[in-house]
Amino acid sequence: MTRRADVVVIGGGQAGLAAGYHLRRLGIDFVVLDARPAPGGAWQHTWDSLRLFSPAAYSSLPGRLMPAQEGQTCPDAAHVVAYLVDYEKRYGLPVQHGVRVDAVHDEGTLLRVGTDSGTWRARTVVSATGTWTRPFVPAVEGRREFAGRQLHTVQYKDPAAFAGQRVVVVGGGNSGAQIAADLTGHAQVTWATRRPPRYLADDIDGRVLFDTATARRRALDEGRTDTGGVAFLGDIVAVPPVRAARDAGLLAARPMFTRLTATGAQWADGSQQDVDAVIWCTGFRPALAHLAGLRLRAARGHIATDGTRATDDPRLHFLGYGDWTGPASATLIGVGRTAREAAREIRDLLA
Ligand code: FAD
């Protein structure tokens, strides 16, 4: 069965919902297709103790403030899921859950969107599929030899599963710091990072990150000197559990091991450490396999874009993923602005 919509939004996480909000406001005909059976995007799958790096009101999508979570300054993931469930319902967004897009093809005037339950034809497509489904693990020597447990951030839920074990957490970003902090007191944790951890100042949260990312984009757009953006401030937001573990001296990092062996890790000084589990907190890549057939040009390691629009094809927009789709587009507070820009460009194109 083939259906039609002016716009097909692929992905119904926060980025897809923000797109839906603005498309609806502009009176545009659209549908959102989301592979997951329930609303909430990737937030449904994060580890239990995860806290946002901003207070609720600064983690809001367009139109509706995220309510505060009782007893928490920075809400947990379950609170975000509840907010997104409510958001989708409140605005009556036409999200079809449990529909996975396999491939988008160019059919001349239209784009054909093939799914696991039928085909859509659309005049434009917004891709908002996030990164959670593409965990990245670096090619480290001995990784296949190691007989212990290996998992990525996406598989980590809570520290109980590691009680009493020797665990190496790899990665000097927010996930690595938060998961290492989460494990302290439960497991014997070693935190391995490629360079010494760089904490943002304790009073910096998502608001500051958003403003900094916006200022950088403005400077670049206006041909001024690159301010360095968020990366200049540091890598790790000192959310309360991370700050507590760090201040208690429990978050000492050591330079990355040189290889894994059958039983553990080998360090640059030649020493060996027996290890039960390695948790790779080594990031993500954009989930874009569904666009492979369009053969879009890449620039700086990403699909080439002007704002949110694919440079090669004005019918295609990207939301979320990373700063390459707009300042802080991969955050709750940041995606609203880029979604608004995308919706306006789509309106103009459809007209
Ligand atoms: P997702 O939430 O991943 O949603 C994408 C949706 O697309 C999913 O439902 C998926 O099933 C669907 N999909 C994927 N492929 C297909 C397909 N082919 N067909 C159909 N559907 C598909 N941001 C903040 O603002 N504050 C924070 O504190 C914060 N903390 C973070 C902590 C971690 C550990 C991580 C990883 C990210 C954090 N972020 C934070 C960043 C960001 O807000 C989240 O990653 C967020 O989930 C991104 O939303 P999204 O809509 O872009 O992607």
Side-chain angles (χ1 to χ4, degrees), residues 10-15 33-36 41-43 47 50-53 99-101 128-132 175 284 290 320-321 330-332:
I10 308 173
Q14 65 202 36
L33 306 178
D34 185 56
R36 288 196 169 88
W43 296 106
W47 62 95
L50 177 114
R51 292 280 175 277
L52 292 189
F53 46 67
V99 178
R100 171 172 300 283
V101 172
T129 47
T131 59
W132 190 259
S175 309
F284 302 86
H290 55 291
Y321 301 116
T331 65
L332 284 153

Side-chain angles (χ1 to χ4, degrees), residues 17-40:
L17 297 188
Y21 173 88
H22 283 294
L23 291 167
R24 156 92 12 110
R25 286 197 78 183
L26 295 176
I28 294 170
D29 165 53
F30 71 98
V31 65
V32 182
L33 306 178
D34 185 56
R36 288 196 169 88

Side-chain angles (χ1 to χ4, degrees), residues 37-351:
W43 296 106
Q44 297 168 81
H45 306 286
T46 58
W47 62 95
D48 297 345
S49 70
L50 177 114
R51 292 280 175 277
L52 292 189
F53 46 67
S54 307
Y58 296 94
S59 305
S60 302
L61 294 181
R64 170 148 171 75
L65 274 187
M66 182 186 286
Q69 183 177 16
E70 212 179 308
Q72 304 282 352
T73 312
C74 295
D76 61 22
H79 189 74
V80 183
V81 172
Y83 169 74
L84 294 178
V85 169
D86 174 68
Y87 190 93
E88 187 178 313
K89 212 158 94 194
R90 177 175 295 260
Y91 293 111
L93 298 175
V95 186
Q96 298 197 2
H97 285 286
V99 178
R100 171 172 300 283
V101 172
D102 303 318
V104 178
H105 290 286
D106 187 353
E107 285 193 333
T109 50
L110 295 178
L111 291 162
R112 176 160 47 91
V113 180
T115 81
D116 56 5
S117 53
T119 302
W120 286 80
R121 290 207 158 72
R123 294 172 67 194
T124 61
V125 161
V126 176
S127 189
T129 47
T131 59
W132 190 259
T133 52
R134 273 201 69 201
F136 171 76
V137 176
V140 169
E141 202 186 332
R143 192 153 67 82
R144 296 193 193 289
E145 254 173 68
F146 178 59
R149 192 172 162 203
Q150 293 188 60
L151 59 159
H152 185 271
T153 309
V154 297
Q155 287 141 333
Y156 178 77
K157 282 311 267 182
D158 68 78
F162 301 92
Q165 294 188 9
R166 299 155 299 184
V167 183
V168 177
V169 176
V170 183
N174 284 297
S175 309
Q178 286 196 32
I179 290 176
D182 202 36
L183 286 164
T184 58
H186 299 271
Q188 253 173 270
V189 187
T190 305
W191 186 23
T193 61
R194 266 189 318 177
R195 60 179 181 187
R198 299 189 313 144
Y199 293 96
L200 281 77
D202 286 0
D203 58 345
I204 289 184
D205 65 15
R207 281 169 285 189
V208 182
L209 298 181
F210 176 63
D211 291 344
T212 306
T214 306
R216 174 173 193 240
R217 171 49 75 96
R218 206 166 283 146
L220 291 176
D221 287 350
E222 292 169 5
R224 289 185 277 118
T225 316
D226 189 352
T227 57
V230 171
F232 184 72
L233 299 176
D235 299 320
I236 301 168
V237 182
V239 291
V242 168
R243 201 181 310 168
R246 179 199 63 190
D247 294 348
L250 300 172
L251 268 192
R254 57 183 298 192
M256 184 60 187
F257 50 79
T258 50
R259 59 162 295 152
L260 287 174
T261 64
T263 55
Q266 184 175 309
W267 301 86
D269 60 8
S271 63
Q272 305 268 351
Q273 179 187 7
D274 285 346
V275 171
D276 297 305
V278 176
I279 306 180
W280 299 99
C281 303
T282 39
F284 302 86
R285 299 288 181 263
L288 295 172
H290 55 291
L291 301 178
L294 297 177
R295 300 183 197 290
L296 299 166
R297 205 170 354 132
R300 294 191 296 273
H302 299 293
I303 287 174
T305 46
D306 295 325
T308 63
R309 183 170 25 89
T311 308
D312 282 350
D313 191 334
R315 297 169 301 175
L316 194 57
H317 286 261
F318 296 88
L319 292 176
Y321 301 116
D323 279 352
W324 57 280
T325 65
S329 184
T331 65
L332 284 153
I333 191 178
V335 72
R337 185 192 287 173
T338 47
R340 187 182 61 210
E341 285 164 11
R344 285 179 180 163
E345 287 191 28
I346 288 170
R347 175 198 57 196
D348 295 346
L349 187 82
L350 294 176

